[in-house]
Amino acid sequence: MSGNLQVLGACPLDCPDTCSWVVTVENGEAVKMRGNPDQPYTRGALCVKVNRYLEHTRAADRILHPLRRTGPKGSGQFERISWDEALDEIATRLRSIADEHGGEAIWPYNGTGSLGYVQGCEGVAGRRFWNMLGASRHWLNICSSAGSSGLRRANGTAGGMDPENFAQSKLILLWGTNTLTSGHHLWKFIQDARADGAHVVAIDPIRTRTADQADEHIAIRPGTDAVLALGLLNVVLAEGTQDEEYLAAHTEGWDDFREEILKYPVERAAEITGIPAATVHSLGMRLAHTRPTAIRATMGIQRHAGGGTAMRTITAIPGVTGDWRHPGGGVAYSTSDHVHFTIDTREDLLAQPVRTLAMTRLAAELPSVKCLFVYGANPLASTSDTNRIRREMLREDLFTVVMEHFPTDTADHADIVLPATMQTEHMDLHAGYGHLYLLWNEPAVPPPGECLSTTETFRRLAERMGMTEPSLFDTDLELAEQLLSSGHPSLEGITLDRLRKEGWVRMSYPKPFAPFADGFPTRSGRLRFPPPGKAYVPPYSAGKDGLTLITPAAHTFLNTIFGNNPELRRRSKEPVVLVNAADAVARGLADGQRVRVHNANGEFLADVEISDRVAAGVVASPKGRWPKFSPGGAGPNAVVDERDADMGKGAVYHDNIVELTPV
């Protein structure tokens, strides 16, 4: 390859923005990456993390060849082997485990390292192979399942308003979301709305970067969001501004829900949420008299015991006010349910029904597992109760395969490590969960070393195991064509040829898009309000002594991706825990002092940062740092209990009581 090429691609990472990018290739080498200025959502900008993506692909610690463990599990000691040796060993062990223990003893553990529909967790990568083998199903429920479940119970879908319509909003509630760190492209549309007079409120236990830029920050007690929603609606009822016409035409259960709202007057809502009553009333008055109102609520809001209920109750707000009928009104959580691909995982290849294992229950389920096959995930840094997981992964009778880019904590515990391609080296099809565009990623450069894509790895493994089912060997382009074949109206006019040529295409939805102006995709066609007594589930931490730990996204890492990047690690500094001055005084803690953050599950070390960014009773320590690069070899997930939220078996990362003790 020679000359200068501009290759269109898309960011694969776990962020709602799924940016369109352009890679400049000179003489076969990717020399520049920039946001695609022609794409309406990206508008030419990438984030501080992805700006270093090309550097990341060439990092000195990139895994380029298959590896076999030579030292004790967890030691990270490996020797280079050939692909033939790796495939032979994996095929032999998988067949032996399936024959002796049954296919369900194999757990294919896939995560959100890539959100691609071809190579990543959203689509078909590997799932036909695992069905052919009879492996346990993997339930990827760690990120958004509680909130999605709550929304589907209310609206029949987790898909909500088009985030681009925030530009038309007059009141914007950024509820449990740090837009400027975790999806900053939305901010452009918020700025457009502010220029037209919109008022922006950040509702968050932490005063984040986004809260700093909002017109108002409301510090809420973690896990009490549903109560605030009910308190605000109480003001709406007192003002008589509920949309009776919309309620009658498009909702069910209103009479009972109205009675539930009346149980939460402003004073009671203030007491439970920790928000001054005057603030609750003031925001309630804004909500009552401002149309359209848009609510942006993302994954952080539902990581507690009542996470699903919280999202269900929040999405009831535009049902009461009638904001769902207005462009620029409603709730934006995820747009994923607006994507209607054909995801043919060939369930017919299963010889018999198999169990489903939830990724949030990794520690509890691993004792019944004989093979853990990890791809697109780093559970020893990202999953709850990491101490128990680590103990299980040290078992000699657990055969562990990890498909990876870098030597993560999880890869250190593998028996076989397989080198995986990165986004500039393979093709993939993407759909953002924060906008309504489909994007194509064309490979810009050949893979380095012996790295293989996820799909190619499974094609070769199927061949090595003697499988002959034709669908196991579909090419990436064939898989992409299948995904686009659903015939859903939203895909009208969108072909693979067009995507490859243009790089991105907006799905065929109206613009502006008001998805529930005329009803909902429920059985009755109506929004279903929470039933009596089911509008608020208290957090596990309610009433317990100690400090509630929040683990927000770091500005320099994306989950644990980029956790090995030297410059981003330097920028993130040492692990810190934000502590309110009142809590620091009560414990005799000084600014900069190293402490153990601990509970019955475990502990991690961090330096105290006394700050008014958290309220009394709340501490915060950003996620994303690899345990191996952390003091004491542990991160915040060492103290997170392996419990379920009320819906979808969601994780409870923000619902844990800890104490701080000086080291």
Side-chain angles (χ1 to χ4, degrees):
M1 186 184 298
S2 62
N4 184 308
L5 295 175
Q6 303 293 310
V7 182
L8 298 175
C11 180
L13 303 182
D14 187 9
C15 164
D17 292 5
T18 312
C19 293
S20 175
W21 68 34
V22 182
V23 179
T24 301
V25 179
E26 293 181 357
N27 300 318
E29 181 180 0
V31 297
K32 182 181 178 182
M33 174 184 286
R34 61 189 174 95
N36 188 343
D38 298 327
Q39 210 276 349
Y41 203 78
T42 304
R43 296 189 187 179
L46 299 175
C47 68
V48 66
K49 302 170 276 283
V50 176
N51 275 330
R52 292 184 169 272
Y53 194 82
L54 290 184
E55 169 191 308
H56 201 51
T57 66
R58 295 189 286 264
D61 58 345
R62 176 99 186 253
I63 297 169
L64 300 176
H65 309 281
L67 305 172
R68 178 193 289 128
R69 177 169 64 90
T70 58
K73 285 203 170 189
S75 67
Q77 297 173 20
F78 296 94
E79 64 179 357
R80 177 178 170 179
I81 58 175
S82 68
W83 265 104
D84 281 338
E85 290 175 292
L87 292 171
D88 282 342
E89 184 164 343
I90 295 170
T92 299
R93 293 293 298 272
L94 288 178
R95 185 64 69 196
S96 174
I97 290 168
D99 289 345
E100 184 176 352
H101 303 282
E104 290 176 299
I106 300 166
W107 188 348
Y109 191 98
N110 188 12
T112 57
S114 166
L115 298 192
Y117 280 82
V118 176
Q119 307 294 347
C121 66
E122 294 283 12
V124 296
R127 289 166 68 180
R128 296 173 180 177
F129 172 82
W130 297 119
N131 284 344
M132 195 75 183
L133 198 57
S136 291
R137 295 181 190 273
H138 174 67
W139 187 3
L140 200 154
N141 66 320
I142 209 164
C143 286
S144 60
S145 61
S148 295
S149 296
L151 289 169
R152 289 174 186 136
R153 291 190 191 190
N155 299 341
T157 174
M161 64 180 290
D162 179 356
E164 290 186 60
N165 287 358
F166 273 65
Q168 300 167 260
S169 307
K170 295 302 182 184
L171 174 61
I172 296 174
L173 307 184
L174 301 175
W175 204 324
T177 184
N178 185 5
T179 303
L180 289 174
T181 286
S182 302
H184 71 93
H185 292 86
L186 179 65
W187 194 253
K188 300 181 182 74
F189 300 97
I190 293 171
Q191 287 178 313
D192 291 343
R194 289 177 99 173
D196 199 28
H199 185 79
V200 179
V201 182
I203 303 169
D204 200 302
I206 308 170
R207 197 177 78 243
T208 62
R209 290 170 180 259
T210 302
D212 283 339
Q213 298 299 316
D215 297 306
E216 185 179 356
H217 170 227
I218 296 176
I220 189 170
R221 186 170 289 140
T224 63
D225 307 275
V227 172
L228 177 58
L230 294 165
L232 297 177
L233 287 174
N234 191 284
V235 179
V236 172
L237 291 183
E239 291 293 296
T241 55
Q242 66 271 20
D243 189 329
E244 294 287 1
E245 180 184 358
Y246 190 84
L247 286 164
H250 300 304
T251 72
E252 62 179 84
W254 168 235
D255 289 342
D256 286 336
F257 187 56
R258 185 179 186 280
E259 292 303 311
E260 197 71 17
I261 293 169
L262 294 176
K263 296 176 185 176
Y264 290 89
V266 165
E267 293 75 15
R268 185 183 181 199
E271 180 183 359
I272 295 172
T273 63
I275 301 169
T279 302
V280 176
H281 183 263
S282 173
L283 183 57
M285 291 292 288
R286 283 191 184 275
L287 176 65
H289 296 284
T290 309
R291 305 276 77 77
T293 289
I295 301 172
R296 175 64 162 168
T298 54
M299 289 47 194
I301 200 172
Q302 44 91 69
R303 289 179 173 156
H304 56 84
T309 296
M311 282 307 308
R312 182 172 188 177
T313 302
I314 288 170
T315 202
I317 292 175
V320 176
T321 62
D323 275 296
W324 280 125
R325 72 160 82 224
H326 305 295
V331 175
Y333 177 71
S334 169
T335 56
S336 292
D337 277 10
H338 292 310
V339 180
H340 294 279
F341 288 153
T342 298
I343 302 177
D344 185 6
T345 57
R346 292 297 307 275
E347 299 303 302
D348 60 302
L349 298 178
L350 283 167
Q352 59 191 24
V354 296
R355 65 179 178 172
T356 297
L357 299 176
M359 64 192 309
T360 50
R361 289 291 181 168
L362 181 58
E365 298 289 2
L366 267 180
S368 67
V369 173
K370 296 298 182 182
C371 172
L372 182 68
F373 197 111
V374 180
Y375 52 115
N378 184 12
L380 272 176
S382 296
T383 305
S384 308
D385 212 344
T386 49
N387 289 331
R388 287 174 64 202
I389 295 171
R390 188 182 302 274
R391 287 195 293 270
E392 285 297 322
M393 290 189 69
L394 291 173
R395 284 170 31 211
E396 286 296 332
D397 68 328
L398 178 67
F399 179 58
T400 303
V401 179
V402 176
M403 198 182 302
E404 250 299 350
H405 306 134
F406 299 104
T408 63
D409 291 78
T410 303
D412 284 348
H413 289 70
D415 295 290
I416 299 288
V417 178
L418 301 177
T421 50
M422 297 178 72
Q423 188 74 348
T424 51
E425 302 151 9
H426 58 229
M427 59 181 61
D428 211 341
L429 176 61
H430 290 267
Y433 64 89
H435 56 64
L436 296 177
Y437 296 89
L438 304 184
L439 303 98
W440 178 257
N441 184 78
E442 192 74 18
V445 293
E450 296 181 282
C451 296
L452 294 180
S453 68
T454 304
T455 48
E456 180 60 22
T457 297
F458 282 114
R459 283 190 285 261
R460 293 192 185 188
L461 190 52
E463 181 181 31
R464 191 59 53 105
M465 295 193 71
M467 297 178 180
T468 58
E469 162 57 40
S471 67
L472 300 178
F473 304 98
D474 285 347
T475 67
D476 293 351
L477 290 175
E478 288 172 332
L479 293 172
E481 290 277 16
Q482 292 165 23
L483 286 161
L484 292 167
S485 69
S486 71
H488 191 272
S490 64
L491 300 180
E492 184 178 353
I494 301 176
T495 65
L496 183 55
D497 285 344
R498 181 184 173 193
L499 269 173
R500 295 187 76 184
K501 179 182 178 182
E502 300 178 19
W504 57 271
V505 178
R506 180 181 165 90
M507 287 182 284
S508 298
Y509 288 107
K511 196 169 186 179
F513 179 44
F516 309 133
D518 300 311
F520 295 79
T522 58
R523 214 173 308 176
S524 64
R526 295 168 175 263
L527 182 154
R528 299 174 293 210
F529 287 123
K534 300 292 186 180
Y536 169 55
V537 173
Y540 289 117
S541 55
K544 294 182 180 178
D545 294 332
L547 302 166
T548 301
L549 174 67
I550 302 291
T551 56
H555 197 69
T556 47
F557 307 133
L558 203 159
N559 300 328
T560 67
I561 295 173
F562 305 107
N564 61 320
N565 183 286
E567 174 59 19
L568 294 177
R569 283 171 56 200
R570 184 192 68 78
R571 292 190 193 182
S572 71
K573 303 178 182 178
E574 287 294 296
V576 298
V577 56
L578 302 183
V579 186
N580 184 273
D583 294 322
V585 169
R587 290 159 178 79
L589 303 177
D591 203 51
Q593 183 176 20
R594 179 150 293 181
V595 294
R596 294 169 51 238
V597 184
H598 60 95
N599 58 21
N601 295 311
E603 65 177 54
F604 67 97
L605 303 180
D607 296 335
V608 170
E609 183 178 318
I610 297 176
S611 174
D612 62 0
R613 289 189 175 275
V614 291
V618 177
V619 294
S621 189
K623 66 178 182 177
R625 185 178 291 269
W626 292 7
K628 67 196 292 184
F629 294 144
S630 303
N637 286 333
V639 302
V640 178
D641 202 359
E642 197 175 66
R643 293 177 303 203
D644 295 335
D646 54 340
M647 299 180 192
K649 293 184 179 292
V652 293
Y653 291 113
H654 298 165
D655 197 356
N656 293 274
I657 294 293
V658 298
E659 263 304 340
L660 308 183
T661 304
V663 173

